[in-house]
Amino acid sequence: MKKLTLGKNYLVGYNSFQAIGWYYVIISLVLRLLLQGTSSFSSTFYSLGSIVCTLQFFAFLEIAHVWFGLVKTSLAPTITQVFGRNMVLLVCLCYVPEVQSHWGVPLLFLFWGLSELIRYPFYIATQLNEIPPFLLWLRYNAFIVLYPIGFAAESNYLFTIMLLSKLIDFINII
């Protein structure tokens, strides 16, 4: 293996941080479900929200990675993905406490996490120039299932927030 540049070392570190964080989220979700059953759904945000918020906050660095040429990808899709998720999480979920216990939160975290468990290890392997074939296959095929389901989970959540805000407005009128 040849020596990595400072930029590649940084990207390996950043992607490792994200991968470890998302592994923790997924493992925690599974353990909570096994130990507490579906009753764990209502407390998912309270248990894992700060970790997911931290991971997503650091995801803003991915825009800088593109901007400064550390990774070769388009800026527009990166901005769309980072701001889309952060709008759902940091704007809607964090500031609308009434929906933090919604059953959609663990689904949202699960499908985001599953996609990230593929993406970040793939990025690490890319920086090291050692991409296992199964990871390459997962990277370009799993999104066919995971992205639409993740989008549906985000849409469900946004719809719930809209319904709740209308209900709160209605109650305030009465």
Side-chain angles (χ1 to χ4, degrees):
M1 183 162 92
K2 58 185 195 180
K3 189 174 179 182
L4 298 177
T5 65
L6 181 61
K8 286 187 182 256
N9 275 321
Y10 162 75
L11 289 173
V12 168
Y14 169 79
N15 290 313
S16 296
F17 167 78
Q18 288 283 2
I20 291 167
W22 284 107
Y23 274 106
Y24 178 82
V25 169
I26 293 298
I27 291 168
S28 295
L29 282 170
V30 170
L31 288 176
R32 288 169 48 79
L33 181 62
L34 291 174
L35 297 174
Q36 300 171 7
T38 56
S39 65
S40 67
F41 287 4
S42 63
S43 61
T44 297
F45 183 79
Y46 305 106
S47 299
L48 298 171
S50 61
I51 295 164
V52 174
C53 286
T54 300
L55 294 169
Q56 281 307 119
F57 182 77
F58 277 101
F60 279 110
L61 290 171
E62 294 176 22
I63 296 169
H65 298 163
V66 177
W67 182 264
F68 292 114
L70 289 172
V71 294
K72 295 178 182 5
T73 190
S74 300
L75 189 58
T78 304
I79 289 172
T80 303
Q81 181 175 358
V82 170
F83 276 92
R85 265 200 198 168
N86 279 307
M87 191 237 358
V88 170
L89 181 66
L90 300 176
V91 175
C92 298
L93 188 54
C94 288
Y95 293 103
V96 183
E98 295 85 1
V99 294
Q100 292 173 352
S101 60
H102 187 268
W103 59 266
V105 174
L107 292 178
L108 200 60
F109 289 2
L110 175 69
F111 292 116
W112 283 352
L114 289 175
S115 64
E116 302 305 24
L117 292 186
I118 298 166
R119 187 166 75 104
Y120 289 114
F122 177 80
Y123 289 164
I124 295 166
T126 300
Q127 294 304 316
L128 299 174
N129 292 318
E130 297 179 10
I131 305 170
F134 77 93
L135 190 56
L136 183 66
W137 183 87
L138 279 174
R139 173 69 179 135
Y140 293 108
N141 289 286
F143 79 92
I144 295 169
V145 175
L146 292 175
Y147 277 42
I149 293 172
F151 179 76
E154 290 173 11
S155 298
N156 169 57
Y157 203 77
L158 290 173
F159 183 71
T160 301
I161 289 171
M162 289 185 333
L163 287 176
L164 183 64
S165 67
K166 293 291 182 193
L167 179 61
I168 290 170
D169 287 344
F170 179 75
I171 291 170
N172 288 337
I173 292 171
I174 297 174

